[in-house]
Amino acid sequence: AVVSTQSTGDHSNRNRLAKLLRWQSSNDADESTSLESYLERMKEKQDHIYFMSGTSRPECEKSPFVEKLLSKGYEVLYLVDPIDEYCIQNLPEFEGKKFQNA
């Protein structure tokens, strides 16, 4: 959470700090992922980094919007820590890809 808090306040280093952030993801139930790793797995012509906010991973996974994205082969980041959503609001894009709420 320390990196998350710092990534929102330091605008000049935002992208460098964003590379240090780790998120829960539909790609792996046990390991968190970096935004760089997410981008490497993105589908061709995918323009957005998809995410879903919730109080828990199971809550996010049960969302019909998430289920639809997963059925199309997209990865979804799960924002289950209150600071996660705050970070996304202050990090409008990463490496030219905008964040999109599922």
Side-chain angles (χ1 to χ4, degrees):
V2 173
V3 174
S4 296
T5 304
Q6 299 221 352
S7 70
T8 60
D10 188 349
H11 298 292
S12 62
N13 290 311
R14 186 182 299 177
N15 208 40
R16 287 190 337 195
L17 290 170
K19 292 178 182 181
L20 301 174
L21 298 174
R22 297 295 179 265
W23 312 85
Q24 290 191 38
S25 163
S26 61
N27 184 63
D28 192 316
D30 299 316
E31 297 292 323
S32 298
T33 190
S34 68
L35 293 173
E36 288 179 317
S37 295
Y38 180 100
L39 292 184
E40 290 172 7
R41 294 188 296 269
M42 282 178 67
K43 294 178 71 160
E44 192 173 325
K45 298 184 181 181
Q46 180 179 341
D47 295 326
H48 296 93
I49 298 170
Y50 296 106
F51 70 91
M52 173 56 81
S53 298
T55 58
S56 68
R57 182 185 181 103
E59 178 187 325
C60 292
E61 291 172 331
K62 290 178 185 172
S63 163
F65 302 109
V66 168
E67 289 175 356
K68 186 173 183 177
L69 286 169
L70 296 179
S71 72
K72 294 181 178 184
Y74 292 107
E75 181 176 352
V76 179
L77 299 176
Y78 300 133
L79 282 56
V80 297
D81 190 306
I83 194 70
D84 293 345
E85 195 165 354
Y86 181 76
C87 286
I88 291 288
Q89 291 170 354
N90 288 283
L91 186 72
E93 65 177 34
F94 180 75
E95 301 291 335
K97 300 290 184 181
K98 294 185 184 226
F99 290 93
Q100 177 67 49
N101 194 337

